[in-house]
């Protein structure tokens, strides 16, 4: 066990954990931030994506020690009220069905648009690869990302 | 809202000759339910009589609360049937703070039922939609019946009673206003939660009238007319999900998020092979994993209980377990195919100008819900509390009670949002496991399935083989259709009692015979979105395409000529028209069609594909749907989009295979499912009209995969009869 000082959604949090404990479980089970979802545990489904600084990472694959002094942003920290442009676009396109994978999808999309404000469709598809949605909301996710990017349809 | 349903304390008879009960608040309830009132036929909820029963169930003076009885499924002599529960299982409440709250037990697994149920009440009530909320009712089998969701029945079964409840509450609010103002109720009008007296230039909000309305006698149903569909203001309008904001901010609470903070986290090691069992285990290394608190033999496995999920998982990895691999340790997919094929008898001979024979095969499928199975149980003496994402609350309650040996009434079941269902969460196997572990642990425990657990210990969509012999006459018209098919059968066939053979008869009136065999195998099976239609419609709609080709006929023209159902023909016509059926496509491209009627709805899907060097790319899906009265057209569109992507995924990618007595797949990557990059444009066209809603959860799935296979044939001339079609062979 070791002590890790983390910055989560702008707040300082100290956790006691094994160094290789995945950030996903630190967030969910140690500090009760449940917006980040467990889907596969092996980095293939995308449900657990959070930001380390501006980079989207699969938090099930990042040991807490590897976070270092990078700032962690989870879905709860993207905005306090759903007002981030990506969240607003998600609402406008009525994307979710069951909703479980959406925090990961939204975090990936938000990271993409921060780096590439006007992505092409291929860039969107590439960024959203290995982000499974069993309800099949992909057409609406695509529309929502283009809406958030201000791309004319 | 958990305090709203009141326990019945005593029975007596009222002067009205109806059974009357006093609840704990001293408010008179009456019950007058007859099973035939809940006969669901072609007319769905419309057959409900006025006796769908409304009563005031809250303390007078706190606002208006009407209890109503939504029909529930029960096991009877003839399998599952719909009947009335014994007590209200849903409530419409109007509070002085001007909120309308609807409490209902139908769980939401992404089908949007929370939104559509609320819309139905709000419309008849003429409520302000922005002041309407929906709350999940607790599960209580004995009192409310099983409030399960499945079979695309949530909206269909609730439509009549919810409308009646909304209209009745509205009448009581109007009556209260009329008394206050000394005018006739008929002179008042209601709009967006406000009662207006235009002549007297007065108005009052529902909130202002709620307390007075709660003192008004519940009117006879005959005195409360329902709206004609042209007067609907909310039903039929595209309405975003009530859970949208929570879902995009991470605030939505799924099963895995609902455990009390102090809960311990558990995972279970299960026998890896079918019907294997636990021989012995060494937990000394597991117990050294930091955070692991307890290791217990549990049922047929070993549970590791820890401070957090990661420790539980690491503890499980550190277990040394000796399994008895059981009698099926060498079972594989090839052997299962042979066994299914062997169960199919010789088909009758066919006299026809051209005889067509074909063998179709589909694999097992996992549900692979995004949220893996999980359940939290807290055993407290002879009582238990449960937090669970389930499609089947009553089943969870009974199952947990059985495992713990306590009365079902002592099990409190809290239903969360479901991270996908697709039929998987009808079974309560994961709740039984959680209860078994919780028995041996102090305090609440949350059992979490890993993705690997979820993929390998599912109740799978059965694999099947379908053999056809048919023929066309000299004019090219199909005249013979014999089919025999074999479905794998595991332990859970509750949903298939209707009998797969009757489902499989062709819809084209072609003479012939149909027989089905269920082949017992040690692999658990269960309902999967659209149940047996998933396999049957694939095979049947492809075989009809084969007959059309053999007779030199156009598949759309033949369907329009031979289909017996007008509404089905209409969607075939619409899908063909919107897709530009018959217009030329480039070399290597093709168009296929298939159709399906079921769950009270009708659909046709046209698929366009392009095949390049054996790679199949889906270019476009054009769907035409007739679901009767669409409560929420936006929800209808989403269900068709999602079910179409399911159909495409299972046509082209997904399969569960068996090797050495176990499931080979462990995650999405090796299971195979559509991603965004695979997904084509999906157009949804709807036939508007109808007075009764059809089911939407499942209807979009069955015709999709045959439309894909038919399109691949059109593009390449290759008839591929085994799913998934990952490549078109050269």
């Amino acid at each position: 066990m070791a002590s890790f000082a983390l910055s989560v959604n702008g707040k300082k949090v100290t956790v006691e954990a094994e160094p290789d404990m995945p950030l996903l479980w630190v967030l969910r089970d140690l500090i009760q931030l449940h917006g980040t979802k467990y889907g596969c545990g092996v980095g293939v489904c995308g449900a657990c994506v959070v930001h380390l600084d501006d980079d989207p990472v699969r938090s099930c694959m990042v040991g807490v020690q590897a976070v270092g002094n990078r700032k962690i942003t989870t879905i709860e920290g993207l905005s306090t009220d759903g007002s981030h442009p990506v969240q607003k676009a998600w609402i406008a396109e009525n994307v979710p069905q069951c909703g479980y994978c959406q925090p990961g999808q939204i975090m990936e999309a938000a990271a993409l648009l921060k780096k590439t404000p006007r992505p092409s469709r291929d860039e969107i598809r590439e960024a959203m690869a290995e982000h499974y949605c069993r309800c099949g909301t992909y057409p609406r996710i695509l529309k929502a990302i283009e809406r958030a990017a201000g791309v004319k349809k | 809202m958990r305090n709203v349903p009141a326990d019945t304390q005593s029975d007596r008879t009222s002067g009205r000759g109806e059974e009357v009960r006093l609840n704990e608040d001293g408010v008179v309830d009456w019950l007058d339910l007859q099973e035939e009132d809940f006969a669901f036929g072609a007319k769905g909820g419309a057959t409900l009589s006025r006796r769908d029963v409304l009563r005031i169930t809250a303390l007078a003076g706190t606002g208006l609360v009407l209890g109503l009885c939504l029909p529930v499924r029960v096991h009877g002599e003839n399998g599952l049937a719909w009947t009335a529960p014994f007590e209200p299982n849903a409530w419409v409440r109007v509070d002085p703070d001007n909120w309308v709250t609807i409490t209902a037990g139908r769980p939401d697994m992404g089908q949007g039922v929370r939104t559509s149920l609320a819309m139905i009440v709000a419309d008849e009530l003429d409520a302000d939609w922005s002041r309407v909320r929906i709350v999940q009712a607790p599960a209580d089998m004995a009192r409310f019946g099983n409030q399960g969701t499945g079979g695309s029945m949530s909206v269909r079964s609730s439509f009549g009673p919810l409308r009646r409840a909304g209209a009745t509450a509205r009448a009581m609010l109007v009556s209260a206003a009329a008394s206050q103002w000394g005018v006739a109720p008929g002179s008042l009008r209601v709009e967006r939660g406000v009662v207006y007296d235009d002549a007297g230039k007065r108005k009052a909000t529902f909130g202002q009238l709620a307390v007075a309305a709660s003192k008004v006698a519940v009117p006879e149903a005959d005195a409360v007319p329902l709206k004609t569909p042209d007067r609907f203001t909310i039903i039929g309008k595209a309405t975003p999900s009530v859970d949208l904001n929570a879902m995009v901010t991470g605030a939505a609470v799924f099963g895995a998020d609902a455990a009390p903070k102090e809960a311990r986290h558990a995972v279970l090691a299960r026998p890896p092979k079918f019907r294997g069992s636990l021989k012995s285990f060494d937990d000394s290394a597991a117990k050294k994993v930091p955070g692991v608190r307890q290791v217990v033999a549990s049922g047929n496995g070993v549970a590791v209980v820890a401070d957090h999920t990661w420790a539980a998982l690491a503890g499980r990895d550190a277990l040394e377990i000796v399994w008895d691999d059981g009698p099926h340790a060498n079972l594989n997919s090839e052997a299962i195919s042979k066994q299914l094929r062997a169960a199919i008898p010789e088909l009758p001979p066919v006299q026809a100008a051209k005889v067509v024979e074909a063998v179709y095969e589909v694999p097992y499928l996992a549900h692979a819900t995004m949220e893996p199975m999980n359940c939290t149980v807290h055993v407290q003496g002879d009582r238990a509390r449960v937090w669970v994402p389930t499609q089947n609350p009553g089943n969870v309650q009974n199952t947990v009670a059985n495992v713990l040996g306590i009365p079902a009434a002592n099990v409190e079941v809290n239903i969360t949002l479901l991270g996908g269902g697709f039929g998987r969460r009808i079974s309560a196997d994961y709740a039984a496991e959680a209860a078994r572990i919780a028995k041996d642990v102090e305090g609440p425990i949350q059992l979490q399935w890993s993705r690997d657990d979820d993929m390998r210990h599912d109740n799978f969509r059965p694999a099947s083989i379908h053999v056809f012999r048919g023929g066309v006459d000299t004019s090219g018209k199909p005249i013979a259709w014999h089919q025999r098919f074999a479905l794998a059968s595991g332990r859970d066939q509750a949903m298939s009692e209707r009998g797969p053979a009757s489902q499989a008869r062709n819809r084209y009136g072609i003479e012939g015979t149909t027989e089905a065999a269920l082949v017992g195998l040690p692999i658990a099976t269960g309902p999967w979105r659209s149940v047996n239609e998933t396999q049957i419609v694939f095979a049947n709609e492809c075989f009809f395409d084969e007959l059309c080709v053999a007779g030199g006929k156009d598949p759309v023209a033949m369907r329009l000529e031979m289909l017996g159902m007008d509404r089905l023909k209409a969607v075939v016509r619409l899908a063909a028209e919107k897709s530009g059926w018959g217009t030329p496509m480039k070399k290597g491209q093709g168009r296929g069609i298939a159709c399906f009627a079921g769950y009270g709805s009708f659909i046709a899907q046209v698929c366009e594909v392009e095949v390049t060097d054996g790679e199949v790319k889906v270019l476009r899906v054009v769907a035409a749907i007739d679901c009767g009265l669409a409560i929420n057209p936006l929800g209808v569109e989403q269900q068709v989009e999602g079910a179409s992507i399911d159909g495409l995924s299972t046509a082209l990618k997904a399969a569960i295979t068996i090797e050495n007595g176990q499931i080979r797949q462990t995650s999405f990557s090796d299971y195979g499912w559509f991603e965004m990059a695979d997904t084509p444009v999906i157009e949804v066209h709807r036939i508007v009209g109808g007075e009764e809603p059809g089911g939407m959860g499942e209807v979009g799935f069955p015709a999709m995969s045959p439309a894909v296979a038919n399109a691949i044939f059109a593009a390449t001339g290759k008839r591929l009869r085994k799913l998934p079609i990952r490549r078109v062979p050269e």
Side-chain angles (χ1 to χ4, degrees), chain B residues 440-453:
Chain B
D440 297 327
V441 179
E442 193 74 24
I445 64 104
Q446 176 173 57
L447 172 67
Q448 177 68 54
W449 287 36
S450 67
R451 174 58 55 194
D452 178 296
D453 297 338

Side-chain angles (χ1 to χ4, degrees), chain B residues 698-719:
Chain B
E698 294 163 286
V699 68
F701 182 82
M704 192 67 252
S705 56
V708 175
N710 294 341
I712 291 171
F713 177 80
T716 64
K718 294 206 166 67
R719 181 64 67 180

